[in-house]
Amino acid sequence: MEDESLENRNQARVKILELASMISVPMSLNAVIRLNVPDAIWQGGSNTPVTAAQILTRVLPSGGDADNLQRVLRMLTSYDVFAEHIDSDGSDRKYSLTDVGKTLVTDPNGSSCAPYVLQHHQDEVVRAWAFVSEAVVDPTSEPFVKLNGEPAYDYYGKRPEMVELMQKAMTGLSVPFMKAILDGYDGFKGVDRLVDVGGSAGDSLRMILHKYPNIREGINFDLPEVVARAPHIPGVTHVGGDMYKWIPAADTIFMKWILTWTDDECKKIMENCNKALPEGGKLIACEPALPKESDASHRTRALLEGDIFLMTVYRAKAKYRTEEEFRKLGLSTGFPNFRAVYIDFFTVLEFIK
C-alpha cells in the first residue's frame, strides 16, 4: 500500500509539472503557425516526413536554428499535432502532419484553423491571462478590460488587422463546423425564410441554401459595419442591425456561437427572436454546450477552456451553458419545446415557439 501511495504521489507531481509548463503548448503551436510549418510539410498534399532542417529551408531560406525547431516539433508531437519518424539508427527525426496538424493547413479557399489559434494569442489577449484571478475577485470587469482599458470588441474595432484576423478565424471554424452540422441535422427541411443572426460574411447561409434550395430567402443579419463588407450571395439579403434591439421576421432563425453572453443578454436576444417568429416558428442555435459532469475528454476540455477564455477576454459573466440551462432559458423566453442534437464541438439547440 505504501508503494502504491508513493507511486500515486509521484504521478501527481509529474502532472503538476506538466500543468505548470502547459503554456509551452499554445505558444509553440502559435510559433509553428507563424513560421508556416504546417503548409511547408503538407506541400500540396504530399505530407512526406521531413527533418527540421528541411522545413527551415522552406520557411526560412535565409537560415534559422533547426535544433530549436526540432524541440518545438517534438513537444507538439506529444500532443498529436505532428507524427515523428525516427531512422532505425536513431540519427534522424522527421515529421509529418497528423489529422490534428492538417487542420492548420491552408485549404484552396485560403482557410484553416490556424487564424483561430493566432487570434487567441495576440499580445493584448495573452497579457490578460495573467489576471484570470481578477474575474473571481471582481466580476464586473473582465481581465482584458483591466489590461487594455476597453472591451475586446471595441478594442478590435479600432485595429483593422485584429478585425481581419477575427473574421479569418471565424471562417476557418465555421466552414468545417457547418459541414458537420448539415451532415448530422435536417431541421432546415421545410424552411421558407431563414435569418442568420450574427452571420458575418454569410458563409453559413451560403452552405445552408446550397443544401436546402427549398429556402426561398436568406437574411444575413449582423452589425452594419460587418454586413457592409459581406460579398454578394445569390438568394441572400444582407441586413444591418442590432440583435439586442430587433431581429428580422422569418419562420426560422439560425445562429451560431451567440448564446454565450450574460443571462440578461441572452434573454434579450431570445425574446427578440420570439417576437420575430410566428407561432410554431423555430430558433436553431448552434452553441458549445457544457456536459453535466466534468471529464478529461478532448471535447469537454475544449469546452471548459473556451468558457474560461470567454470569461477572461470577452465578458466576465458571459458563459457556456449546459443543455438544461439552455432548456430553462428557452422556457423563460417563450419557447416551450426544446431538443438538443450533439454534433462536433457544437450542440444544435432547437427551440420551438
Side-chain angles (χ1 to χ4, degrees):
M1 291 292 293
E2 288 183 10
D3 288 344
E4 195 173 306
S5 178
L6 177 62
E7 177 61 23
N8 288 342
R9 290 198 299 272
N10 289 342
Q11 288 300 316
R13 280 193 293 271
V14 170
K15 287 183 179 179
I16 284 296
L17 289 175
E18 179 188 1
L19 289 170
S21 299
M22 190 69 79
I23 194 171
S24 301
V25 181
M27 292 298 104
S28 294
L29 194 60
N30 194 57
V32 296
I33 291 170
R34 289 188 179 281
L35 290 168
N36 204 32
V37 170
D39 284 341
I41 295 175
W42 186 242
Q43 289 285 288
S46 67
N47 199 26
T48 303
V50 285
T51 65
Q54 289 171 320
I55 294 170
L56 272 183
T57 63
R58 298 173 183 177
V59 301
L60 288 175
S62 58
D65 193 310
D67 179 59
N68 282 350
L69 176 58
Q70 179 169 281
R71 293 162 70 183
V72 171
L73 295 171
R74 284 198 70 182
M75 193 277 294
L76 290 175
T77 294
S78 74
Y79 283 90
D80 196 35
V81 178
F82 300 103
E84 190 174 62
H85 311 265
I86 305 177
D87 286 354
S88 56
D89 61 1
S91 61
D92 240 352
R93 295 178 188 269
K94 294 182 179 180
Y95 299 88
S96 60
L97 297 173
T98 61
D99 286 342
V100 175
K102 290 173 188 176
T103 67
L104 304 174
V105 173
T106 308
D107 70 17
N109 297 315
S111 296
S112 79
C113 290
Y116 185 75
V117 176
L118 294 178
Q119 194 226 356
H120 274 56
H121 302 104
Q122 297 168 102
D123 290 345
E124 296 88 345
V125 174
V126 172
R127 286 199 298 267
W129 279 110
F131 295 86
V132 173
S133 60
E134 289 299 307
V136 177
V137 175
D138 176 20
T140 61
S141 179
E142 55 274 10
F144 185 95
V145 171
K146 292 175 180 176
L147 266 291
N148 297 292
E150 59 185 328
Y153 281 119
D154 293 342
Y155 190 92
Y156 294 168
K158 297 171 184 176
R159 294 158 178 81
E161 71 283 0
M162 296 183 83
V163 172
E164 182 182 1
L165 180 59
M166 183 169 63
Q167 289 180 329
K168 286 182 178 179
M170 291 301 99
T171 297
L173 284 185
S174 287
V175 173
F177 280 153
M178 281 305 303
K179 286 180 179 176
I181 289 165
L182 291 172
D183 284 343
Y185 173 73
D186 63 0
F188 295 103
K189 289 180 178 178
V191 172
D192 182 56
R193 192 169 193 259
L194 176 67
V195 172
D196 184 358
V197 176
S200 190
D203 293 310
S204 296
L205 261 184
R206 179 192 286 111
M207 295 175 71
I208 295 170
L209 266 61
H210 178 74
K211 181 161 184 176
Y212 293 94
N214 56 277
I215 299 175
R216 177 177 55 83
E217 184 181 9
I219 306 293
N220 182 41
F221 183 66
D222 212 314
L223 294 171
E225 59 268 29
V226 174
V227 296
R229 295 191 295 269
H232 171 72
I233 301 172
V236 173
T237 302
H238 299 295
V239 176
D242 184 344
M243 64 184 175
Y244 292 109
K245 296 179 180 178
W246 70 286
I247 289 171
D251 59 290
T252 302
I253 294 172
F254 174 75
M255 59 178 62
K256 178 164 50 59
W257 229 335
I258 297 292
L259 299 179
T260 54
W261 297 110
T262 66
D263 289 337
D264 288 343
E265 288 169 322
C266 287
K267 284 181 180 179
K268 185 61 179 176
I269 294 167
M270 290 189 68
E271 285 168 354
N272 286 340
C273 287
N274 192 284
K275 292 175 184 176
L277 290 167
E279 199 69 28
K282 182 163 52 180
L283 165 61
I284 302 169
C286 297
E287 302 293 339
L290 294 175
K292 184 178 179 180
E293 297 181 3
S294 304
D295 59 60
S297 69
H298 288 304
R299 185 178 190 276
T300 296
R301 284 179 172 173
L303 288 164
L304 294 174
E305 289 160 5
D307 186 47
I308 302 303
F309 181 84
L310 190 66
M311 179 185 78
T312 303
V313 177
Y314 291 118
R315 199 71 60 84
K317 293 301 289 181
K319 61 183 179 181
Y320 290 177
R321 293 169 171 82
T322 63
E323 179 184 327
E324 179 61 17
E325 287 173 322
F326 278 118
R327 186 186 68 79
K328 290 179 179 177
L329 184 61
L331 286 172
S332 70
T333 54
F335 292 96
N337 299 306
F338 169 82
R339 73 169 177 137
V341 181
Y342 286 82
I343 299 172
D344 207 296
F345 175 78
F346 287 108
T347 300
V348 179
L349 307 168
E350 195 176 80
F351 301 89
I352 308 294
K353 180 175 175 178

